[in-house]
mmCIF file of all heavy atoms in Angstrom:
data_model
loop_
_atom_site.group_PDB
_atom_site.id
_atom_site.type_symbol
_atom_site.label_atom_id
_atom_site.label_comp_id
_atom_site.label_asym_id
_atom_site.label_seq_id
_atom_site.Cartn_x
_atom_site.Cartn_y
_atom_site.Cartn_z
ATOM 1 N N LEU A 106 183.259 -1.557 127.083
ATOM 2 C CA LEU A 106 183.648 -0.781 128.257
ATOM 3 C C LEU A 106 185.152 -0.833 128.495
ATOM 4 O O LEU A 106 185.755 0.168 128.890
ATOM 5 C CB LEU A 106 182.888 -1.266 129.493
ATOM 6 C CG LEU A 106 181.378 -0.999 129.472
ATOM 7 C CD1 LEU A 106 180.705 -1.640 130.680
ATOM 8 C CD2 LEU A 106 181.071 0.492 129.400
ATOM 9 N N ARG A 107 185.764 -1.978 128.250
ATOM 10 C CA ARG A 107 187.217 -2.058 128.431
ATOM 11 C C ARG A 107 187.931 -1.190 127.400
ATOM 12 O O ARG A 107 188.941 -0.552 127.717
ATOM 13 C CB ARG A 107 187.690 -3.499 128.365
ATOM 14 C CG ARG A 107 187.276 -4.269 129.618
ATOM 15 C CD ARG A 107 187.893 -5.608 129.706
ATOM 16 N NE ARG A 107 189.302 -5.449 130.051
ATOM 17 C CZ ARG A 107 190.116 -6.475 130.229
ATOM 18 N NH1 ARG A 107 189.680 -7.707 130.099
ATOM 19 N NH2 ARG A 107 191.380 -6.266 130.529
ATOM 20 N N ALA A 108 187.427 -1.141 126.179
ATOM 21 C CA ALA A 108 188.023 -0.260 125.173
ATOM 22 C C ALA A 108 187.896 1.198 125.613
ATOM 23 O O ALA A 108 188.794 2.007 125.387
ATOM 24 C CB ALA A 108 187.352 -0.469 123.817
ATOM 25 N N LEU A 109 186.808 1.522 126.279
ATOM 26 C CA LEU A 109 186.588 2.884 126.772
ATOM 27 C C LEU A 109 187.454 3.188 127.996
ATOM 28 O O LEU A 109 188.136 4.208 128.048
ATOM 29 C CB LEU A 109 185.104 3.061 127.122
ATOM 30 C CG LEU A 109 184.677 4.404 127.681
ATOM 31 C CD1 LEU A 109 184.861 5.500 126.640
ATOM 32 C CD2 LEU A 109 183.216 4.337 128.122
ATOM 33 N N PHE A 110 187.438 2.307 128.972
ATOM 34 C CA PHE A 110 188.137 2.559 130.230
ATOM 35 C C PHE A 110 189.632 2.302 130.155
ATOM 36 O O PHE A 110 190.394 2.893 130.901
ATOM 37 C CB PHE A 110 187.527 1.715 131.359
ATOM 38 C CG PHE A 110 186.274 2.287 131.901
ATOM 39 C CD1 PHE A 110 185.056 1.990 131.326
ATOM 40 C CD2 PHE A 110 186.300 3.147 132.990
ATOM 41 C CE1 PHE A 110 183.886 2.534 131.823
ATOM 42 C CE2 PHE A 110 185.135 3.696 133.490
ATOM 43 C CZ PHE A 110 183.925 3.384 132.899
ATOM 44 N N GLU A 111 190.051 1.412 129.298
ATOM 45 C CA GLU A 111 191.467 1.084 129.198
ATOM 46 C C GLU A 111 192.048 1.634 127.906
ATOM 47 O O GLU A 111 192.897 1.014 127.270
ATOM 48 C CB GLU A 111 191.649 -0.437 129.279
ATOM 49 C CG GLU A 111 191.159 -1.012 130.575
ATOM 50 C CD GLU A 111 191.181 -2.525 130.604
ATOM 51 O OE1 GLU A 111 192.022 -3.136 129.914
ATOM 52 O OE2 GLU A 111 190.351 -3.092 131.320
ATOM 53 N N HIS A 112 191.600 2.814 127.571
ATOM 54 C CA HIS A 112 192.002 3.439 126.309
ATOM 55 C C HIS A 112 193.493 3.695 126.241
ATOM 56 O O HIS A 112 194.141 3.458 125.249
ATOM 57 C CB HIS A 112 191.230 4.739 126.102
ATOM 58 C CG HIS A 112 191.621 5.477 124.875
ATOM 59 N ND1 HIS A 112 191.344 5.012 123.618
ATOM 60 C CD2 HIS A 112 192.303 6.630 124.702
ATOM 61 C CE1 HIS A 112 191.820 5.861 122.718
ATOM 62 N NE2 HIS A 112 192.400 6.836 123.351
ATOM 63 N N ARG A 113 194.054 4.169 127.339
ATOM 64 C CA ARG A 113 195.454 4.543 127.299
ATOM 65 C C ARG A 113 196.057 4.386 128.682
ATOM 66 O O ARG A 113 195.481 4.795 129.670
ATOM 67 C CB ARG A 113 195.571 5.995 126.857
ATOM 68 C CG ARG A 113 196.956 6.481 126.674
ATOM 69 C CD ARG A 113 196.948 7.912 126.258
ATOM 70 N NE ARG A 113 196.382 8.007 124.921
ATOM 71 C CZ ARG A 113 196.562 9.035 124.132
ATOM 72 N NH1 ARG A 113 197.245 10.052 124.535
ATOM 73 N NH2 ARG A 113 196.036 9.069 122.942
ATOM 74 N N CYS A 114 197.201 3.803 128.720
ATOM 75 C CA CYS A 114 197.946 3.698 129.973
ATOM 76 C C CYS A 114 199.274 4.393 129.782
ATOM 77 O O CYS A 114 200.036 4.059 128.880
ATOM 78 C CB CYS A 114 198.195 2.245 130.360
ATOM 79 S SG CYS A 114 196.725 1.361 130.809
ATOM 80 N N VAL A 115 199.543 5.361 130.603
ATOM 81 C CA VAL A 115 200.829 6.035 130.555
ATOM 82 C C VAL A 115 201.709 5.352 131.583
ATOM 83 O O VAL A 115 201.290 5.098 132.704
ATOM 84 C CB VAL A 115 200.671 7.535 130.872
ATOM 85 C CG1 VAL A 115 202.026 8.216 130.894
ATOM 86 C CG2 VAL A 115 199.750 8.180 129.860
ATOM 87 N N PHE A 116 202.935 5.026 131.200
ATOM 88 C CA PHE A 116 203.827 4.378 132.148
ATOM 89 C C PHE A 116 205.182 5.057 132.120
ATOM 90 O O PHE A 116 205.542 5.756 131.186
ATOM 91 C CB PHE A 116 203.948 2.880 131.852
ATOM 92 C CG PHE A 116 204.581 2.563 130.530
ATOM 93 C CD1 PHE A 116 205.939 2.305 130.448
ATOM 94 C CD2 PHE A 116 203.826 2.517 129.376
ATOM 95 C CE1 PHE A 116 206.527 2.016 129.234
ATOM 96 C CE2 PHE A 116 204.409 2.222 128.157
ATOM 97 C CZ PHE A 116 205.768 1.964 128.082
ATOM 98 N N ARG A 117 205.949 4.849 133.160
ATOM 99 C CA ARG A 117 207.275 5.442 133.274
ATOM 100 C C ARG A 117 208.312 4.381 132.915
ATOM 101 O O ARG A 117 208.324 3.301 133.463
ATOM 102 C CB ARG A 117 207.515 5.942 134.702
ATOM 103 C CG ARG A 117 208.829 6.663 134.874
ATOM 104 C CD ARG A 117 208.956 7.284 136.247
ATOM 105 N NE ARG A 117 207.960 8.287 136.512
ATOM 106 C CZ ARG A 117 208.029 9.568 136.105
ATOM 107 N NH1 ARG A 117 209.057 9.982 135.413
ATOM 108 N NH2 ARG A 117 207.067 10.409 136.391
ATOM 109 N N CYS A 118 209.196 4.735 132.014
ATOM 110 C CA CYS A 118 210.278 3.846 131.628
ATOM 111 C C CYS A 118 211.271 3.790 132.784
ATOM 112 O O CYS A 118 211.774 4.824 133.242
ATOM 113 C CB CYS A 118 210.957 4.362 130.359
ATOM 114 S SG CYS A 118 212.394 3.392 129.871
ATOM 115 N N THR A 119 211.547 2.597 133.270
ATOM 116 C CA THR A 119 212.434 2.475 134.433
ATOM 117 C C THR A 119 213.880 2.798 134.101
ATOM 118 O O THR A 119 214.631 3.238 134.959
ATOM 119 C CB THR A 119 212.352 1.056 135.023
ATOM 120 O OG1 THR A 119 212.661 0.119 134.003
ATOM 121 C CG2 THR A 119 210.973 0.786 135.588
ATOM 122 N N LYS A 120 214.285 2.641 132.849
ATOM 123 C CA LYS A 120 215.686 2.897 132.477
ATOM 124 C C LYS A 120 215.968 4.373 132.265
ATOM 125 O O LYS A 120 216.998 4.881 132.657
ATOM 126 C CB LYS A 120 216.057 2.125 131.214
ATOM 127 C CG LYS A 120 216.115 0.631 131.445
ATOM 128 C CD LYS A 120 216.581 -0.072 130.210
ATOM 129 C CE LYS A 120 216.637 -1.562 130.506
ATOM 130 N NZ LYS A 120 217.057 -2.309 129.338
ATOM 131 N N CYS A 121 215.012 5.085 131.647
ATOM 132 C CA CYS A 121 215.287 6.481 131.315
ATOM 133 C C CYS A 121 214.438 7.464 132.102
ATOM 134 O O CYS A 121 214.589 8.669 131.947
ATOM 135 C CB CYS A 121 215.118 6.713 129.824
ATOM 136 S SG CYS A 121 213.459 6.381 129.232
#
Side-chain angles (χ1 to χ4, degrees):
L106 293 175
R107 288 189 74 179
L109 179 65
F110 281 87
E111 299 173 29
H112 177 69
R113 184 181 292 199
C114 292
V115 177
F116 64 95
R117 184 173 298 278
C118 176
T119 56
K120 291 184 179 179
C121 61

